[in-house]
Amino acid sequence: MKRRGTMRTVVKVCVLQLVLALMLLSCSTVPLTGRRQLNIIPDATVLSMSFQEYDAFMKENKLSTNTTQTATVKRVGKKVQTAVESYFAQQGMSAELSGYAWEFNLVESEDLNAWCMPGGKVVVYTGILPVTKDEAGLAVVMGHEIAHAVAKHGNERMSQQLVTQMGGVALSTALEEKPEQTKQLWTAAFGLGSQVGVLLPFSRLQETEADKLGLIFMAMAGYDPHKAVDFWKRMASQQEGAAPPEFLSTHPSDETRIQKLNELVPEAMKYYSVQR
Ligand SMILES: [Zn+2]
């Protein structure tokens, strides 16, 4: 019996070592910020799953019939995309965006939400338009969501989930063995919404990274980064209602965030003045 117990311990230690080795091997650097992050899913796998999930989402949801608002979302999105591409080119990192197939859509929904899936699939819900108010407000949201995507925050969250909940198995194995649970993890990791009941807030670190990059992207796209502070203040005031919007559950907004945003604006303004 004792021998069996020892064996079990040995196996446990081995598995732990394997997971640790895997984690170390799969640590990659966040493009642009230099932070090390856990990333056990190959980019190609993330992109193909992203496009698949995105297509499924678009089949289940209705595009807005408001042509003016739809055109605005596409116009602002295109400007932010151009900004992101030139920022990556300046950093000598254009290869990071290969495989991207950008798309900007306005979806009919009361939910106050927006997201960008890996590969540049951006969806804005009509429910967030009263808070974004104008083009600059939209640029804040789209810049921020695109920043999460290009900084691979979703991949990082999905990797963390695979390690903590499934012992670090490959995504393909997880999908094969526990398809439903894996799909739920994906939806939560990439901010697709609460339809499945799992909401995973971005970490403070990821939020600050997305704010910093988002401000630069919007500034390069020709929008005053000061408008981001106004938007997040309007967003924070939504919290006072009965149920906070999905967007706030995944992107918490409070005094600390607004103060940090104020600190980040001067750096972003350098990119804004270049455009003038
Ligand atoms: Zn965020």
Side-chain angles (χ1 to χ4, degrees):
M1 281 310 271
K2 191 161 182 258
R3 210 188 147 85
R4 229 164 126 198
T6 316
M7 262 311 274
R8 210 174 293 153
T9 313
V10 169
V11 169
K12 233 186 222 170
V13 168
C14 280
V15 168
L16 254 175
Q17 277 173 343
L18 199 76
V19 170
L20 240 128
L22 202 76
M23 282 169 73
L24 285 173
L25 271 176
S26 22
C27 259
S28 59
T29 308
V30 180
L32 315 173
T33 68
R35 179 172 64 83
R36 302 282 289 166
Q37 68 183 170
L38 171 71
N39 200 347
I40 61 168
I41 318 169
D43 286 350
T45 313
V46 170
L47 283 186
S48 72
M49 183 150 178
S50 173
F51 295 157
Q52 209 177 309
E53 289 294 310
Y54 172 77
D55 286 345
F57 176 89
M58 294 309 287
K59 269 189 200 116
E60 284 162 23
N61 289 272
K62 208 173 134 267
L63 284 174
S64 164
T65 48
N66 186 316
T67 47
T68 316
Q69 288 175 343
T70 301
T72 307
V73 165
K74 290 190 191 291
R75 184 171 59 247
V76 175
K78 191 77 198 154
K79 280 190 194 174
V80 177
Q81 174 197 338
T82 308
V84 172
E85 285 171 343
S86 54
Y87 189 80
F88 270 72
Q90 282 169 22
Q91 311 288 321
M93 297 179 92
S94 294
E96 288 284 337
L97 299 177
S98 69
Y100 267 57
W102 296 92
E103 242 183 281
F104 311 96
N105 281 307
L106 181 63
V107 160
E108 197 64 58
S109 166
E110 280 177 7
D111 291 339
L112 206 160
N113 205 4
W115 42 257
C116 173
M117 295 242 284
K121 302 296 191 192
V122 182
V123 165
V124 175
Y125 296 49
T126 49
I128 204 172
L129 296 184
V131 189
T132 54
K133 270 188 159 169
D134 51 23
E135 277 201 30
L138 259 177
V140 177
V141 169
M142 293 169 98
H144 181 90
E145 292 309 312
I146 290 171
H148 274 308
V150 297
K152 300 185 180 176
H153 288 162
N155 316 23
E156 186 178 18
R157 286 140 62 87
M158 188 71 195
S159 298
Q160 286 164 350
Q161 295 299 310
L162 284 174
V163 167
T164 54
Q165 300 202 23
M166 296 189 179
V169 298
L171 181 61
S172 52
T173 314
L175 270 172
E176 227 165 77
E177 289 172 4
K178 294 177 183 168
E180 271 315 301
Q181 197 187 340
T182 311
K183 277 199 191 281
Q184 283 188 12
L185 291 183
W186 176 279
T187 320
F190 290 92
L192 252 68
S194 59
Q195 286 132 323
V196 288
V198 197
L199 277 174
L200 205 60
F202 281 103
S203 73
R204 176 78 74 185
L205 206 70
Q206 291 174 328
E207 279 306 304
T208 306
E209 266 176 11
D211 278 339
K212 192 177 169 195
L213 290 170
L215 285 182
I216 293 175
F217 297 156
M218 77 177 283
M220 288 177 77
Y223 300 101
D224 183 352
H226 287 97
K227 302 276 185 180
V229 182
D230 303 334
F231 165 78
W232 284 105
K233 278 186 185 161
R234 289 199 296 274
M235 200 69 215
S237 71
Q238 300 289 316
Q239 218 146 270
E240 287 146 21
E246 262 169 41
F247 192 78
L248 271 176
S249 313
T250 46
H251 309 70
S253 184
D254 53 25
E255 270 309 307
T256 319
R257 162 176 230 145
I258 288 164
Q259 194 191 323
K260 242 191 193 140
L261 272 164
N262 272 314
E263 289 165 18
L264 293 169
V265 168
E267 172 67 20
M269 280 305 281
K270 292 180 197 162
Y271 294 85
Y272 185 54
S273 28
V274 169
Q275 294 290 306
R276 302 285 101 181

